[in-house]
Amino acid sequence: MSLIRTRFAPSPTGFLHIGGARTALFNWALTRKQGGAFVLRVEDTDLERSTRESEEAVLDGLRWLGIDWDEGPLRQTDNADRHKAVVEQLLSEGKAYRCVCTKEELEARRDADIKAGGKGIYDGRCREAAHGADCGDHTVRLRVDAEASLRWDDLVFGPSGQDASEIGDGIIRRTDGTPLYHLAVVVDDIDMQISHVIRGADHHSNTPFQLALYRALGAEPPTFGHVPLIVAESGRKLSKRKDPVSIQQFKADGFLPDAMVNWLVRLGWSHGDQEIFSRDEIVEHFGLDHVGRAGAQADLQKLEWLSQHYIKEASADALYEAVNPFIDAVAGRNVDRDANLDRTLDLLRERSNTLVEMAEKARFVLCDDIEIDAGAAKKHLRPVALEPLEALIPSLEALDEWSEASLEPAFEATCKALDDLKLGKLAQPVRVCVTGTGASPGIYETLEVVGQTRTIARLRAGVDVIKARIAEG
RNA sequence: GCUCCCAUCGUCUAGUGGCCUAGGACGCGGCCCUCUCAAGGCUGAAACACGGGUUCGAGUCCCGUUGGGAGCGCCA
């Protein structure tokens, strides 16, 4: 299979969008599978919105996801001279012409045309006017041959396109002399010898005009593949305000990059019944032939499931690395890694959908002072629990070895001495005293990672809570 | 309005004319396990938008309807 050249061309608008991330991932996967180069090109021609900071944010997002590129980042503004030269060239070849129609005139004529049942495309008024460079304020339009067929075989949608008569002569240079997006992408893609343009389906209807540009420039168009959009629950385009779309946000919410990648790649693409894909497996199996044509709704619950899956699978080193910042945040200090912390994290793997959850659930180990949840206290720190707790404390104090193995007989002996008390009647109050909540890993494991000193102290504090409650009546 | 596109369980999807009384996964219900919460095991409910064709046979092909989306900018 011959080498391909692909590109991801984000506009640096502050953060990496999940739609863009998926487009990048598909480009990356295709390139890594077929062999070739994946190029990153920043479309920064919208100077109002483009900053180096937002460009960095986009690159960071890609790096975090593990999507690496072979060339770039190139910037579209760096090619500005080339874009201008191309417009001049088209002008001199008669493939483009100057148009002196003003915005207002254009708008009025389009409205009138639509009212009269027309399609509202440019009427070609300046097409044969042969305005020279001295015509004053003007735009430049591409002369689109009305007979031309602007069709292509899309890698995802199959036969696509329409006749030139449907699109009209589009503007390629503004009055202020700057080139438009369509001109810039086509020129850049030609210059960079991009062989496969994989992009969002929102560009599907833009493609015919771009095909006309390739034709005018005498260049062989690339192979196109349009990937359906990721849609919101409403079925509409994702909204930056209402929907979670920023990769940075997902990172901050404690999702593992492996989970993100797995989630994104399955949004629209499939490989039989397989759900879990490592990056290697994605590269091994990926292909545009199995990308669906309908828009895909972002399913956050599936992401959480994947996230937990990867948390469960992660190596101890990788897990610590990933959860470290979240743990520090909960502890309010730099937490050193030790065997007890690793043990704690292991206990929490199957109980955490995200790293944020994991860190929060580790609070009873990370912090010396814990707060007892009011609801849990009300339910479990009742007068009936006083005797069992008071009976347990001395036997725990007497333990020379503090481990699951030594804790279990101590609990059992206490229950037995209390007229065969059910373990739950003892374990739940203990759990609330020690963790502050009614849910935690197994009680022996929990106590083991909390440690003997802190366990005893928390049990005593719990006993005091119950006594206070009794005193209040 | 015009052009283009899309349509299988709530969601992501398998399915490329017979293997489909439609499979998997997330989520949801039930059961088991159990000191709580999970995890795990078993199990259940849940879809081919509708109407016409074509064909011996249609989720799969064609047409229409309905619904949805994108594009129609001197934005990218």
Side-chain angles (χ1 to χ4, degrees), chain A residues 51-62:
Chain A
T51 64
R52 276 305 163 89
E53 290 73 53
S54 39
E55 178 183 317
E56 226 7 81
V58 171
L59 301 193
D60 269 347
L62 290 173

Side-chain angles (χ1 to χ4, degrees), chain A residues 283-351:
Chain A
V283 169
E284 186 184 344
H285 300 298
F286 189 79
L288 258 10
D289 49 337
H290 279 90
V291 171
R293 282 147 316 218
Q297 199 170 305
D299 181 357
L300 279 325
Q301 288 184 311
K302 184 90 160 249
L303 206 214
E304 295 200 339
W305 172 73
L306 281 165
S307 178
Q308 184 181 58
H309 170 82
Y310 282 100
I311 285 175
K312 283 194 290 188
E313 299 285 301
S315 70
D317 289 351
L319 182 62
Y320 171 75
E321 193 74 20
V323 81
N324 184 36
F326 299 101
I327 279 182
D328 285 355
V330 166
R333 65 189 161 85
N334 251 321
V335 178
D336 291 326
R337 183 179 177 190
D338 58 23
N340 199 58
L341 181 61
D342 277 352
R343 172 92 172 112
T344 304
L345 297 183
D346 275 342
L347 296 174
L348 263 16
R349 285 172 189 263
E350 63 199 27
R351 298 176 166 83

Side-chain angles (χ1 to χ4, degrees), chain A residues 414-433:
Chain A
T414 303
C415 285
K416 189 154 195 195
L418 260 25
D419 201 18
D420 276 327
L421 184 73
K422 297 250 292 179
L423 180 57
K425 300 284 184 192
L426 177 59
Q428 269 313 86
V430 169
R431 173 171 281 115
V432 173
C433 292

Side-chain angles (χ1 to χ4, degrees), chain A residues 4-302:
Chain A
I4 63 174
R5 287 178 64 82
T6 59
R7 45 64 157 189
F8 175 54
S11 32
T13 50
F15 59 88
L16 181 61
H17 188 278
I18 54 174
R22 190 185 58 156
T23 301
L25 177 62
F26 282 13
N27 271 287
W28 174 88
L30 188 71
T31 313
R32 293 289 173 264
K33 179 183 174 64
Q34 298 205 4
F38 175 45
V39 185
L40 192 57
R41 182 177 73 221
V42 181
E43 314 245 296
D44 57 349
T45 45
D46 184 352
L47 297 167
E48 307 245 323
R49 291 190 296 173
S50 302
T51 64
R52 276 305 163 89
E53 290 73 53
S54 39
E55 178 183 317
E56 226 7 81
V58 171
L59 301 193
D60 269 347
L62 290 173
R63 289 191 198 101
W64 180 70
L65 289 171
I67 299 174
D68 59 338
W69 53 93
D70 306 301
E71 294 174 29
L74 275 29
R75 287 181 199 85
Q76 194 154 58
T77 46
D78 291 342
N79 280 338
D81 291 343
R82 169 87 177 121
H83 301 149
K84 284 176 188 163
V86 168
V87 175
E88 287 303 330
Q89 178 200 326
L90 289 171
L91 233 23
S92 68
E93 291 172 351
K95 291 173 176 168
Y97 59 89
R98 296 183 180 81
C99 171
V100 296
C101 302
T102 66
K103 236 181 204 172
E104 293 70 29
E105 290 166 355
L106 254 15
E107 212 169 293
R109 265 151 49 199
R110 190 181 57 220
D111 288 351
D113 183 45
I114 288 173
K115 206 170 242 176
K119 295 174 181 175
I121 58 180
Y122 180 61
D123 57 12
R125 179 167 301 200
C126 294
R127 201 168 218 249
E128 308 304 336
H131 294 298
D134 57 352
C135 65
D137 281 353
H138 66 274
T139 58
V140 174
R141 286 181 186 272
L142 182 72
R143 192 187 298 273
V144 179
D145 175 7
E147 302 306 309
S149 164
L150 304 175
R151 299 178 183 279
W152 77 98
D153 193 17
D154 196 275
L155 253 22
V156 175
F157 288 96
S160 303
Q162 51 200 302
D163 293 328
S165 56
E166 300 289 348
I167 65 172
D169 296 344
I171 293 173
I172 55 176
R173 190 176 77 188
R174 300 182 183 88
T175 303
D176 68 6
T178 56
L180 266 90
Y181 165 78
H182 290 298
L183 187 277
V185 252
V186 169
V187 170
D188 289 348
D189 284 340
I190 291 171
D191 288 356
M192 293 163 59
Q193 299 176 60
I194 300 302
S195 67
H196 290 64
V197 171
I198 311 305
R199 57 184 4 173
D202 47 341
H203 289 284
H204 193 255
S205 1
N206 288 331
T207 308
F209 183 67
Q210 293 182 13
L211 246 16
L213 270 165
Y214 278 99
R215 182 184 291 247
L217 292 168
E220 188 65 29
T223 301
F224 290 99
H226 290 90
V227 180
L229 268 22
I230 298 178
V231 300
E233 272 187 66
S234 58
R236 299 181 185 214
K237 215 156 103 170
L238 288 170
S239 149
K240 284 181 191 174
R241 292 192 73 82
K242 293 163 63 182
D243 305 304
V245 295
S246 153
I247 292 292
Q248 271 82 5
Q249 189 56 51
F250 282 102
K251 180 183 179 185
D253 288 343
F255 290 99
L256 251 20
D258 287 354
M260 282 306 293
V261 164
N262 199 145
W263 182 60
L264 288 171
V265 85
R266 280 288 287 104
L267 236 38
W269 174 75
S270 63
H271 177 67
D273 285 341
Q274 190 171 342
E275 295 288 347
I276 303 294
F277 293 88
S278 66
R279 282 185 183 70
D280 285 348
E281 287 174 313
I282 290 171
V283 169
E284 186 184 344
H285 300 298
F286 189 79
L288 258 10
D289 49 337
H290 279 90
V291 171
R293 282 147 316 218
Q297 199 170 305
D299 181 357
L300 279 325
Q301 288 184 311
K302 184 90 160 249

Side-chain angles (χ1 to χ4, degrees), chain A residues 394-461:
Chain A
S395 71
L396 294 187
E397 283 178 311
L399 289 176
D400 293 328
E401 186 205 324
W402 189 259
S403 69
E404 257 189 90
S406 64
L407 255 6
E408 184 167 352
F411 270 70
E412 281 171 355
T414 303
C415 285
K416 189 154 195 195
L418 260 25
D419 201 18
D420 276 327
L421 184 73
K422 297 250 292 179
L423 180 57
K425 300 284 184 192
L426 177 59
Q428 269 313 86
V430 169
R431 173 171 281 115
V432 173
C433 292
V434 171
T435 71
T437 72
S440 85
I443 195 65
Y444 310 130
E445 297 162 314
T446 298
L447 296 200
E448 186 185 312
V449 294
V450 168
Q452 190 168 22
T453 310
R454 291 196 299 187
T455 295
I456 305 287
R458 289 177 192 180
L459 288 175
R460 289 208 172 108

